[in-house]
Amino acid sequence: MSAAAPRRSSARPGSPVRTMAAKTERTFIAIKPDGVQRGLIGEIVKRFEQKGFRLVAMKFLQASEDLLKEHYIDLKDRPFYPGLVKYMSSGPVAAMVWEGLNVVKTGRVMLGETNPADSKPGTIRGDLCIEVGRNIIHGSDSVDSANKEISLWFKPEELVSYKSCAQDWIYE
Ligand code: UDP
Ligand code: MG
């Protein structure tokens, strides 16, 4: 006999009520050209899958300079901006949307700090790269920027909705 998924207990008195909306928070994650060239797509996807986040969209593309300039527009006055756009357009990237409770914040924790040297072991940047200018992965830094980035990189019809059979085993 197969085990039935436990009943959700979010309505229990005193427990935080986590709405469906919270669980469907989305973030934009991109494996940068160095991550792709170094064969790290599988390792990075594995970490998000194993955590319990849900893949909503994924594409492999050579991003245009215009797209990358727009993606990093908030950094346009920083001295590293031209080099950053060049690096990001130097090869294909794997662009993804992941979904789940607090996925923006937790995704950033999983990435580690911007500078890999400051990133703890166990994080993606802490484990897999060395220099800030070759830090292998992008992750949205707020829900607002996630929404902006998702609409910049994906058409609405590219975001796939489906029911995950693991949902009731991942959330209370
Ligand atoms: N970057 C860089 N030099 C710096 C700071 C940032 O080359 O001194 C690059 C790095 O690839 C970083 C990206 O610019 O990931 C965007 O910077 P941001 O501060 O948004 O960091 P992130 O959100 O990626 O951690
Ligand atoms: Mg950023």
Side-chain angles (χ1 to χ4, degrees), residues 27 29 42-54 96 98-114 116 119-129 135-140:
T27 193
I29 298 289
E43 171 63 31
I44 290 168
V45 169
K46 188 187 81 173
R47 291 182 182 216
F48 280 84
E49 272 190 316
Q50 290 190 340
K51 176 73 177 167
F53 291 132
R54 195 163 80 116
M96 296 173 274
W98 287 89
E99 183 179 275
L101 186 67
N102 294 326
V103 67
V104 171
K105 186 162 176 264
T106 302
R108 292 283 295 193
V109 173
M110 289 167 66
L111 261 60
E113 301 300 319
T114 302
S119 301
K120 293 205 170 67
T123 65
I124 292 167
R125 287 168 173 166
D127 286 348
L128 302 172
C129 55
N135 62 359
I136 71 167
I137 185 165
H138 168 82
S140 308

Side-chain angles (χ1 to χ4, degrees), residues 32 72 75 80 84 87 108 114 125 132-133 135 137-139:
K32 297 178 175 184
Y72 281 125
L75 301 173
F80 57 83
L84 173 60
Y87 152 56
R108 292 283 295 193
T114 302
R125 287 168 173 166
V132 68
N135 62 359
I137 185 165
H138 168 82

Side-chain angles (χ1 to χ4, degrees), residues 1-54:
M1 203 175 79
S2 64
R7 277 168 56 88
R8 291 196 198 121
S9 57
S10 56
R12 202 171 48 211
S15 74
V17 175
R18 283 169 303 184
T19 62
M20 201 54 204
K23 291 172 191 168
T24 56
E25 181 176 301
R26 290 174 171 178
T27 193
F28 174 71
I29 298 289
I31 302 169
K32 297 178 175 184
D34 46 345
V36 170
Q37 294 290 342
R38 292 180 51 209
L40 296 172
I41 296 176
E43 171 63 31
I44 290 168
V45 169
K46 188 187 81 173
R47 291 182 182 216
F48 280 84
E49 272 190 316
Q50 290 190 340
K51 176 73 177 167
F53 291 132
R54 195 163 80 116

